[in-house]
Amino acid sequence: MKKERTGRRIAEQALRLFDERGFEDVTMGEIARAAEVARATLFAYYPTKEALVLDGVAGDDLAAAVAGRADGQNALAALRAHHRALAAGPVAAADLLALLARVRVIQASPALRAAADSLRYRQRQALADVLAEEHGEAAGTLMAAQIAASLAVLQERHFARLVGGDPDGRAGRALEQEVELAFDLLERGFAQAERR
């Protein structure tokens, strides 16, 4: 429990500093001082400055959601159920503020944007590998690309609504509706591929 609190405090202080001054202008030493930990402790939790921001980015394990699906359930149905649950889940105000700070920090840093893209690429490749087992390499790769692109757009639209302010909670309802629409569109296209 103490270890978890320390890790959270370090990440919170790092995000605050990055949001205030920019990712590139903050040193690991400054983060350690702000979090009131030794530099060695900081590096034990987060080996790089990028890890402080990207921890959890692309952490949604799409490949595991597909690989672990129920017998008889197709990949899209498993992913729809997974994202339906995520969209309907409550977000605490403190978590939302941290998420928005993370989005601002990543968007403001070319290095972090590139690193986040790399993480999403690896996530897509893992999904492609799982889909290829059932549909073949070409179809699995193309299906994973379509799924990843749709999910990226859903995320971008959701973050844009949140950054713009969401006093009446419409962003969550809009995300739920768009998850359904995205998977409806994907299912229509995938039905064609599965008939081949």
Side-chain angles (χ1 to χ4, degrees):
M1 191 69 157
K2 180 182 177 191
K3 185 175 181 178
E4 188 177 302
R5 281 195 308 267
T6 301
R8 189 170 40 247
R9 185 176 72 242
I10 292 168
E12 286 170 357
Q13 291 301 318
L15 271 178
R16 179 185 62 77
L17 291 170
F18 295 151
D19 199 25
E20 289 172 0
R21 296 184 17 225
F23 176 76
E24 285 78 9
D25 294 331
V26 176
T27 68
M28 291 294 267
E30 290 172 316
I31 295 165
R33 284 191 295 279
E36 300 177 345
V37 298
R39 281 179 58 94
T41 302
L42 171 62
F43 282 105
Y45 282 87
Y46 299 98
T48 66
K49 200 162 78 161
E50 289 80 5
L52 283 156
V53 181
L54 298 177
D55 186 39
V57 171
D60 192 15
D61 195 345
L62 305 178
V66 172
R69 68 189 188 266
D71 288 341
Q73 184 181 43
N74 71 34
L76 278 179
L79 289 169
R80 181 193 291 260
H82 176 74
H83 284 86
R84 185 182 280 157
L86 289 176
V91 178
D95 292 340
L96 179 58
L97 292 175
L99 172 66
L100 293 176
R102 184 182 310 265
V103 169
R104 285 190 302 270
V105 169
I106 292 171
Q107 288 176 345
S109 168
L112 287 175
R113 283 196 313 271
D117 287 344
S118 177
L119 289 172
R120 284 189 286 271
Y121 173 79
R122 289 198 297 273
Q123 178 190 54
R124 188 179 81 223
Q125 288 303 110
L127 177 59
D129 291 344
V130 171
L131 292 171
E133 293 173 12
E134 189 173 334
H135 301 283
E137 184 181 352
T141 300
L142 292 168
M143 293 166 94
Q146 291 175 35
I147 292 166
S150 294
L151 294 175
V153 170
L154 288 175
Q155 187 179 65
E156 289 166 7
R157 289 176 56 81
H158 184 60
F159 288 162
R161 283 190 290 265
L162 292 174
V163 168
D166 186 35
D168 53 7
R170 289 186 187 178
R173 289 188 297 281
L175 177 61
E176 290 178 50
Q177 292 170 350
E178 289 181 1
V179 163
E180 299 302 328
L181 175 60
F183 281 97
D184 286 347
L185 294 171
L186 286 167
E187 280 181 358
R188 289 182 197 138
F190 284 20
Q192 296 289 335
E194 290 173 348
R195 283 198 290 268
R196 289 183 178 189

